[in-house]
Amino acid sequence: MESPQTCCEQGHQNLEAMKAGMFLRKVKSRMWKRLRHYKLQEDCKTIAYKSSWAITSYSTFSISDVEAVREGHQSEALLNVADDFPADRCFTLVFRGRRGNLDLVADSAKEAQAWIQGIRVLMENMENMDESTKLDQWISDWFLKADLNKDGRINFKEAKKLLKMMNVDMNEEHACCLFMMADKSESGTLEDQEFVEFYKMLTERTEVLDLFQDYSSDGQSLSQCDLEEFLREEQLEGEGSYEHALQLIDCYEPSDTARKNHSMSVDGFLMYLTSPEGSIFNPERQGLFQDMSQPLAHYYISSSHNTYLMEDQLKGPSSVEAYIQALKRGCRCVEVDCWNGSNGEPVVYHGHTLTSKILLKDVIATIANYAFKASEYPLIVSIENHCSIEQQEVMARYFRDILGDMLLTNTVEGVSSKLPSPEALKRKILLKGKKIGNESESPTGEVSDEDEAAEMNKDSPASESLPTDSKELSDLMFCKSIHFHSFEHSRMSAKPNEMSSFSESKARKYSKEAGSDFVLHNTRQLTRVYPSGMRTDSSNYCPVDMWNMGCQIVALNFQTAGMEMDLNDGLFTQNGCSGYILKSEILRKKERFFDPENPEEREDYHPLLFSVKVISGQQLPKVKQKDWSIVDPLVRVEMYGVPLDQVKQETKYIDNNGFNPHWNETLQFTIHTPELALVRFVVEDYDKASRNDFIGQYTLPFTCIQPGYRHVHLLSKDGTSIHPSSIYVHIKITEL
């Protein structure tokens, strides 16, 4: 074991080597391998890189964007060049969100280790930072950007330029006045710490100060009783507010003196309001809080469509990385389309298109490796099988050998009248596909819509029948894909492990024509919905319409960012990001009828009034990188749920202020079925000549909202944090 001293020295040497910079080979494919110069910036948080021929211009990425560092040949690109470069010189940076991996090769194993260990240490340092340190870091990053001549100070001209970069259009006199107040040393320039003060004066939150003073008995601080009153009156906390007030003081008050006196300063109050506890999302619903012992059909299951695709449906790449991304996002149902490959090796790709092919055995190995990293609850692998009997036998062998004990093989046939629960199936992988039925059925088994569509698109003459199924593969199927005849037929004869797949248009048609029958069907049977074949660009349909019917497996193209994936991420953020959400009781009851088209007809109809006062915004990111362009932000609150609840309202836009815009506007909604509603907050940059530009969004289930004064922490298009950007709101929910 190395002594801490040597570890520390080694760590220091790694960082110094990274700061000095070195040439690493960036690999995209066997043909594309190019030298780039990479170096760690002085802030120890940014890595700059440029191609060997570029004279000065470096591009950069932040260490906080890196999610993991993989060593060796752990990506498709590096596996492709494994013969040229030994594993100990190779490593991969995996980024958050949907950004592609960066595959690198160093000149020696020692240089590779310097980067691997160095980046891991820097990532850990960033993870361990508390909120106020993060904010100070964020501010000093800006300082480094503004300090053009790198003398550790900025003058007023540099400060003005910086304000523009930070999205602030400020009256020059006001800015100059604050600059002079912060310039304690009266040198006409600000040093690092003075700049932090300048920034804090700039961002003083008058609206938070006013609220603080409304509850402070002495105008200076909140006593434990003052804070308790605020928690009861505004945040609507009931029992235990007095004890909670003390916990908040202990947790968020920066001043030792105030903490000893059981009181909170305005700084502590702001820290609480911007913390996870002060956020709009109720922390009690963040972890696993639902009953996980009900039959599978009672849960929404986070599901991906054609999981192997990274881009479009016609010509883009297929990749095991796409499975890793989906599984890391908590996806619990992935799709594998299998076709005959050369040398007897089944391949995965979108049949009859130009999408690239990957080996089935690599896909299964990836699933085995990542299946339970984000969630322990069962993973369903939906198989579309187009292979010959011989290659199906190879498939069966791979599933058995590679998945081992994880594979659930004892199927439910005849065992029970309902499916097992997520709890009973923890850490199990369930296969879903065509299954040879009883003797009277044809050996081809039955098929789903999507299989049928794929078969119909075959270039072969119509007389050719489906390839017959191999018994070996059929025996491994836990869920059986069947053709849907009618709700009546299913009610009479469907077994619990039989599942039909519907295209989005067919699912919509049934929801309009037979809403309550569809809801009832989904109390017993699993239903899978998939995007229309016309969506060749991998766009998505709105999943909410399907969830309203109680459809469990609503498959989306995870690779495509946008409102539909925001809703999916929003629904599945609760319950420990387990990928399973217990459906509302109205969608689980077999005795009662619920029709989402007519929510007011249900017995216990209790609509709610949802009122959102949009107060202010904080540090919204720039949309256009041009120095002079500053955003004109507006906030739109979008409601999703039963058709009656689908409404949107927005504030007016604020001219030229992305830094601390104030709207002070109240938006009101009537919600007919609160338990099925989701709320999406969107911030956009108003543009009168063209479409507004997206700035950030945050989506959550209505049932996870905390009332009172709350911050909504915005996410990027990709669903990653854009800290410290937020909007500050007041939420009120009352019975109508």
Side-chain angles (χ1 to χ4, degrees), residues 138 617-621 658 695 712-715 721-727:
W138 190 77
Q618 292 73 43
Q619 287 105 43
L620 303 176
I695 293 177
V712 178
H713 298 281
L714 297 173
L715 302 174
S721 160
I722 44 176
H723 185 86
S725 304
S726 61
I727 49 177

Side-chain angles (χ1 to χ4, degrees), residues 414-429:
V415 175
S416 151
S417 60
K418 51 181 198 262
L419 284 164
S421 69
E423 193 59 46
L425 296 171
K426 259 187 170 170
R427 299 192 75 84
K428 286 291 178 197
I429 294 176

Side-chain angles (χ1 to χ4, degrees), residues 480-493:
K480 174 180 177 179
S481 304
I482 61 161
H483 175 72
F484 178 78
H485 295 285
S486 70
F487 291 124
E488 180 63 21
H489 180 273
S490 295
R491 193 161 60 245
M492 305 306 288
S493 60

Side-chain angles (χ1 to χ4, degrees), residues 230-231 235 248 252 268-275 278 710:
F230 169 77
L231 294 176
Q235 311 299 68
L248 293 178
Y252 299 110
F269 187 57
L270 183 58
M271 291 287 290
Y272 152 63
L273 284 176
T274 52
S275 76
R710 303 291 171 188

Side-chain angles (χ1 to χ4, degrees), residues 301 303-306 333 335 382 432 448-450 499-511 518 522 526-532 540-557:
I301 302 171
S303 306
S304 136
H305 170 248
N306 287 356
C333 178
E335 201 176 334
S382 178
K432 171 225 154 228
S448 70
D449 269 13
E450 197 163 12
M499 184 199 304
S500 302
S501 289
F502 299 91
S503 68
E504 54 174 290
S505 51
K506 206 168 226 184
R508 252 190 225 103
K509 176 175 172 288
Y510 286 129
S511 68
F518 204 172
N522 288 328
L526 286 173
T527 294
R528 176 172 163 274
V529 182
Y530 59 90
S532 143
N540 281 312
Y541 56 94
C542 179
V544 174
D545 307 337
M546 314 305 166
W547 293 332
N548 288 340
M549 295 292 139
C551 299
Q552 304 84 351
I553 299 179
V554 177
L556 296 177
N557 292 307

Side-chain angles (χ1 to χ4, degrees), residues 357-369:
K357 298 175 179 170
I358 49 181
L359 295 177
L360 174 68
K361 63 179 176 191
D362 292 345
V363 170
I364 301 176
T366 301
I367 289 174
N369 197 359

